[in-house]
Amino acid sequence: MTFIALGLLLLAISGEPLFIIIGGMAFANFYFVIDIAPATLFTDFYRLTTMPIFVAIPLFIFSGYLLADTRLPEKMLRLTNALVGWLPGGLCFVALIACSIFTAFTGASAITIVGIGTLLYPVFQKDGYPENFTLGLITTGGSLGTLLMPCLPLILYGVIAGQQKGVSLNVEDMFIAGLLPAILLIALLYAYAFFFGIKYSPLKKFSFAEVAAATWEIKWELPLPVLVVGGILTGLFSAPEAAAVAAIYVLVVEWFVIRDLNFRKLISIIRRSMIMNGAILMIVGMALGLTDVFVTLSVPEKLFEFLGQYITSKYTFLLLLNGFLLMVGALMDIFSACAIVVPIVVPIALKYGVDPVHLGIIFLANLELGFLTPPVGMSLFISSLKFNKSLPTIVRSILPFIALLLIGVLLITYIPALSLYLLEFTDKPAIIDPSSLL
């Protein structure tokens, strides 16, 4: 096992795909430690592919890639600018709202920085905003939509956490629970940007004519969030059904109505989206196998016994959890973190009485910062390449925004109602089955 562990470590250092490392750990433990046929791992893949909710992942990925390859970013900016651009600091508000919505549907901060950031950067420069502030706002805005439905990390957490013993959770719960925390984070950043907006952004008059023109330009894409978000909130659609509706609607509108697509572009979009889906499938499938190892070896229980010697308070545990997740976010991308860390953290958190849905929002709010923290912060590298700035320059520009997001994370952590209040109005609240923990 020592030689195998060293071999896997060398593979990780050499840049081998994450699913190979996770799968290698699972296979080695099955064969050498648990004495179970390693082929058991493939039953986890079968279980994963038969989950109805998992159908939503490739469909939402496909929809996001379709939207990213159209003129939607430009249309969205025009509409949000017409609606809220007249407010003090309206341009900053436009940036935050547009970035959040675009990330929620594409599931990737990198696409948002490239798609929305490219359009916003020259506008901020024209209005005379400090370059550091502009870079920080756009780079940070790329990650804000992580808690907004139907963003992919919400689905992944729901799928993986829902497989843990004692958890009764569905992805629709996660979609609803993320709304208020997402609004809180946007409000905190806007409160900071407001003062820059007063100084640098000239006040604009509200124009009904511009709102009408911008709405008409985006008239075919505008029903999409209403269909997806409204359908899920009202119970009209489940998450997989909403994903199917989104994929079909976007494809029909962009190909046959707006005609922003052609056959060559569609093939490219299908290829890129399915490569992403395949990568997620491999990571999550291998992670479920590793979860079986953790359960069989009672890893969460042993960790809880160890922590219980020093930590008896739920609130102290949550503070420690925040610190741990911030380190995880700095070293691991959000998809990998969901696959590896959730199976360990969820059983321990349940024993401390943390609601699994609240835990999920804490988890993702912390990992949202992972987009912005070196050495793995993807948004930092994308922003550095896109705007041709050094990495230290980008890091300095986001420091005030990271401080505000940290305040937001603490509020989300210690005020559970932010995550759970809206669930009181649904007929499927998230629950913990106490008997299953005995």
Side-chain angles (χ1 to χ4, degrees):
M1 280 301 297
T2 302
F3 286 113
I4 291 173
L6 290 174
L8 292 173
L9 180 61
L10 289 175
L11 287 175
I13 294 173
S14 64
E16 288 299 315
L18 181 67
F19 74 87
I20 292 179
I21 312 302
I22 300 174
M25 293 170 62
F27 269 106
N29 278 281
F30 277 135
Y31 192 81
F32 292 102
V33 179
I34 305 176
D35 195 24
I36 296 176
T40 304
L41 181 63
F42 297 108
T43 64
D44 292 308
F45 271 96
Y46 176 76
R47 177 161 54 96
L48 180 66
T49 55
T50 56
M51 293 179 189
I53 184 59
F54 206 80
V55 177
I57 293 178
L59 292 172
F60 276 131
I61 291 175
F62 176 63
S63 302
Y65 273 81
L66 274 174
L67 292 172
D69 273 25
T70 65
R71 292 181 55 245
L72 180 63
E74 182 181 336
K75 296 176 183 178
M76 184 186 299
L77 279 180
R78 183 182 179 187
L79 178 60
T80 51
N81 190 47
L83 290 172
V84 300
W86 55 273
L87 294 169
L91 181 59
C92 303
F93 198 26
V94 167
L96 294 172
I97 296 297
C99 287
S100 299
I101 295 175
F102 201 70
T103 298
F105 277 89
T106 61
S109 64
I111 296 176
T112 301
I113 292 172
V114 173
I116 302 289
T118 301
L119 299 172
L120 282 172
Y121 185 77
V123 180
F124 274 95
Q125 293 299 99
K126 181 181 177 181
D127 282 355
Y129 280 86
E131 186 174 54
N132 269 355
F133 172 82
T134 303
L135 291 171
L137 184 70
I138 293 174
T139 305
T140 306
S143 66
L144 282 182
T146 306
L147 297 179
L148 286 174
M149 69 173 79
C151 202
L152 191 55
L154 289 168
I155 300 176
L156 281 180
Y157 176 87
V159 168
I160 298 171
Q163 302 303 303
Q164 309 308 308
K165 182 180 179 181
V167 177
S168 177
L169 180 151
N170 56 62
V171 172
E172 288 82 1
D173 291 335
M174 295 301 302
F175 283 170
I176 296 170
L179 289 175
L180 291 182
I183 292 171
L184 170 67
L185 296 180
I186 294 171
L188 285 173
L189 295 188
Y190 175 60
Y192 171 70
F194 176 84
F195 297 101
F196 284 85
I198 291 177
K199 183 175 181 180
Y200 295 101
S201 186
L203 289 176
K204 303 175 183 177
K205 292 183 178 180
F206 179 80
S207 171
F208 284 104
E210 176 61 15
V211 170
T215 303
W216 181 257
E217 185 182 35
I218 203 175
K219 62 183 180 295
W220 292 108
E221 293 95 340
L222 203 55
L224 179 62
V226 177
L227 282 173
V228 175
V229 178
I232 292 173
L233 289 179
T234 59
L236 182 63
F237 302 136
S238 64
E241 291 167 343
V245 169
I248 293 172
Y249 183 85
V250 173
L251 180 61
V252 170
V253 166
E254 299 298 338
W255 184 297
F256 296 103
V257 181
I258 302 177
R259 301 181 183 275
D260 268 356
L261 283 178
N262 54 48
F263 184 74
R264 179 174 293 183
K265 184 183 286 189
L266 179 62
I267 293 299
S268 173
I269 290 170
I270 293 174
R271 180 181 62 83
R272 287 183 284 124
S273 62
M274 291 307 104
I275 288 174
M276 169 66 80
N277 180 66
I280 292 173
L281 175 65
M282 292 297 292
I283 291 173
V284 176
M286 294 295 185
L288 287 180
L290 193 59
T291 299
D292 290 342
V293 173
F294 292 152
V295 171
T296 304
L297 297 178
S298 301
V299 172
E301 287 79 4
K302 292 174 182 177
L303 285 174
F304 175 73
E305 290 176 6
F306 173 77
L307 290 174
Q309 300 175 24
Y310 308 98
I311 301 172
T312 56
S313 168
K314 168 184 174 180
Y315 302 102
T316 305
F317 166 74
L318 288 175
L319 185 62
L320 179 67
L321 178 65
N322 278 326
F324 170 69
L325 291 176
L326 287 174
M327 288 191 292
V328 168
L331 299 171
M332 201 179 297
D333 68 87
I334 196 166
F335 302 126
S336 305
C338 283
I340 297 174
V341 180
V342 168
I344 299 176
V345 168
V346 169
I348 298 174
L350 292 182
K351 292 181 181 294
Y352 278 102
V354 182
D355 188 284
V357 173
H358 181 214
L359 175 66
I361 301 304
I362 295 172
F363 189 91
L364 295 177
N366 275 281
L367 294 184
E368 204 173 59
L369 289 171
F371 286 118
L372 306 170
T373 51
V376 184
M378 182 61 69
S379 293
L380 301 177
F381 297 100
I382 296 298
S383 188
S384 176
L385 290 171
K386 182 62 187 176
F387 302 114
N388 195 26
K389 304 294 179 183
S390 67
L391 193 60
T393 298
I394 301 296
V395 171
R396 285 194 298 271
S397 73
I398 64 170
L399 291 179
F401 298 95
I402 286 182
L404 290 167
L405 290 178
L406 283 172
I407 293 172
V409 167
L410 290 175
L411 292 174
I412 291 168
T413 300
Y414 291 108
I415 307 177
L418 286 170
S419 304
L420 304 178
Y421 176 71
L422 293 181
L423 289 176
E424 297 177 7
F425 300 95
T426 68
D427 57 354
K428 294 185 291 184
I431 59 171
I432 303 174
D433 178 7
S435 64
S436 64
L437 303 178
L438 299 178

